[in-house]
Amino acid sequence: MSQDIQILIGGEAGQGLVTIGQLLAKALVRSGREIFTSQSYHSRIRGGHNTFALRVGPAPLAASRDNIDILVALNAETVELHQAQLTQRALIIADANTAPNTAGAIPVPFAQLGPEKLWNTAALALLGQILGLPTEPLQQAVDEMFGHKQAEVLAENRKVMKKSREWAGQHVPEHPFTLADRSTGAAKRLLLTGNQAIALGALAGGLKFCAFYPMTPATSIVIELISHADTMGCIVEQAEDEIAAINMAIGASYAGAPAMVATSGGGFALMVEGVSLAAMTETPVLVVVGQRPGPATGMPTCTEQADLEFVLHAGHGEFPRAILAPGSIEECWSLTARALGLTEHTQSPVFLLTDQFLADSSRPVTPFDGDTVTPVRAGSDPQKVVPPYRRYYLTPDGLSPRLLPGLSEHLVVADSDEHNEEGHLSEDYGLRKAMVEKRLGKLELLKRQALAPTLNGARGAELLLVCWGSSLGPVRETAEILRGQGQEVATLHFSQVWPLVPEQFLDILQAAGQVVCIEGNATGQFARLIRRETGFAIDRRINRYDGLPFTAGYLLEHLEKSAAA
């Protein structure tokens, strides 16, 4: 009996494979199981080869496996493409007309079980039978998804579910995939993707305005925001392009609404002038950048971590910024709320750097505690302002009183040109120097609030794996496997990649036996940034840039190769 099972559902877009995966995921979580899901899809409405991967295991999971135990093939191409990934114990669920004549293949007469539009329900029933799930949680998940439709549609789904379970009970061969019963005492959990958690974190942090132009993989953040917008009093606006989106957000923030934009690399390229405007006018704005392979349109539905240097240097002139990079679903929630507060506190643009892998992955999490977050309240107290009001009053820490226009007797003036303390245009050279220094002074504020990287394992370990952002899960799993083999391994994960504070981590790097930096780009952008800021060179690196996410299998293979080189 195995409790670590990798399921892959493959087929064309439009065949309902995501529906199968999502319904199974929901049923497994409600039955107390630990799961991790991820998606691979092409940039088209129908056709292409898409997959939904679901891994179920005895302990919390943070990544998929490369090999497959159960393959649900909704077309013949799926078997051809994934044959090499099948384990020796693998089962293949496929239609009787396309099923391969190989060991483990289960040719299913889908046409006898129900109409083609409900074959996904039939496949779900078969998976439930193989995993030993009761029909009830599966049926409940189906009812919730289709319950809003006509009663006869629901009844038809129930009929197909029942018939398919009966067929599976008679025809599924002996296999090792029956899960242990964990249905009793299962804690209430949320099944969330990274993007859903980002949206919930933003709302918990006090978000009141979001502007966007649709762009994968960030769009689902906004879709989640829209579903809660009325309840939470948040305005979500689709702009005509990304330039308009960030300028709308800056305008809303200037007026007092905590604001954000969500986009990807190509969209962020159009927003860059707006980033500079926010910096010059000292207007808070949160920019969420969901990374995907570039340049240009690149591979819009794949993943990468190659926009770090772009976001770090985006904008003309010099101004401080913070860049946060969540490594888990929980951090997607907490760091988004933190970033929204940080942008208001420092009156500067703040960035949240995520990617397609984290955006589309899901797993169960404990419901978030909203009491740990203080929602942003924009602006300063007018009662504490000593007249005459000066929006850009020169202060040692760079923070000037930010009054909201129209909410007090004070006149609030902002200017994208260099300006004096009152906010009026100025070309005074001495004042220019003072204003630059005032804005740069916020960098010390950001450093004092910077999150230290998380060390998992012993300081001074034989091998230290350094990573940032979404690579956390696969890297942690790799370290656990190596520890199980007797190696002394630690991981150092950065959830904040700028500004870096060497005092927080340099001694950890220096104490380690060997240091390997793992990141999803071709040139080692973060390793280069560490060397620039600390002088510490990480010569051993593992970089992935084929559009796919890291897995423990990939990392173990490349660690071995790099050690032998």
Side-chain angles (χ1 to χ4, degrees), residues 173-184:
E174 288 291 326
H175 60 79
F177 302 125
T178 302
L179 298 171
D181 184 12
R182 297 183 62 183
S183 58
T184 56

Side-chain angles (χ1 to χ4, degrees), residues 52 78 147 224 227 238 254 256 273 329 454 495 529:
F52 187 100
T78 297
E224 185 69 18
S227 68
Q238 178 174 338
Y254 174 73
E273 188 170 2
I329 305 294
T454 304
S495 298
L529 186 59

Side-chain angles (χ1 to χ4, degrees), residues 154-171:
L154 206 57
E156 198 172 16
N157 270 280
R158 286 175 173 270
K159 182 179 177 182
V160 171
M161 174 74 74
K162 183 174 183 294
K163 194 171 182 179
S164 300
R165 289 292 294 245
E166 291 173 352
W167 184 92
Q170 299 170 5
H171 296 89

Side-chain angles (χ1 to χ4, degrees), residues 261-277:
V261 292
T263 187
S264 185
F268 180 64
L270 296 174
M271 293 182 175
V272 168
E273 188 170 2
V275 171
S276 297
L277 175 63

